[in-house]
Amino acid sequence: MAAARAKGHRGGRPAKLTDRQLGMAERLLADPVTTGQQVADQFGVHRGTLYRALADYRRRRELKS
């Protein structure tokens, strides 16, 4: 694993949603008419996956600040 990390490989399952998609999801969810299920359906993921990815995205963005 150390050799793979040295080459820049992270390992693990690839993310279902990109940061760009998560930013768009945040903007969509800011509208009180739009539900989390509608946003999740739009991106083709489960609602729980969307909220878990958003929490991680917000945490990473907060650490950058």
Side-chain angles (χ1 to χ4, degrees):
M1 289 298 282
R5 258 186 244 114
K7 291 181 181 179
H9 299 284
R10 294 183 328 165
R13 187 177 180 95
K16 283 293 259 182
L17 297 167
T18 65
D19 283 350
R20 183 176 181 191
Q21 289 173 318
L22 290 167
M24 186 184 303
E26 271 193 326
R27 288 189 296 278
L28 290 169
L29 288 171
D31 179 5
V33 177
T34 308
T35 66
Q37 186 64 56
Q38 291 171 326
V39 175
D41 289 344
Q42 183 175 345
F43 290 112
V45 296
H46 191 274
R47 192 179 70 228
T49 301
L50 173 67
Y51 285 123
R52 186 171 38 256
L54 277 171
D56 183 52
Y57 172 71
R58 290 172 179 149
R59 196 175 314 114
R60 284 185 287 119
R61 199 174 57 195
E62 186 178 294
L63 289 175
K64 286 183 181 179
S65 300

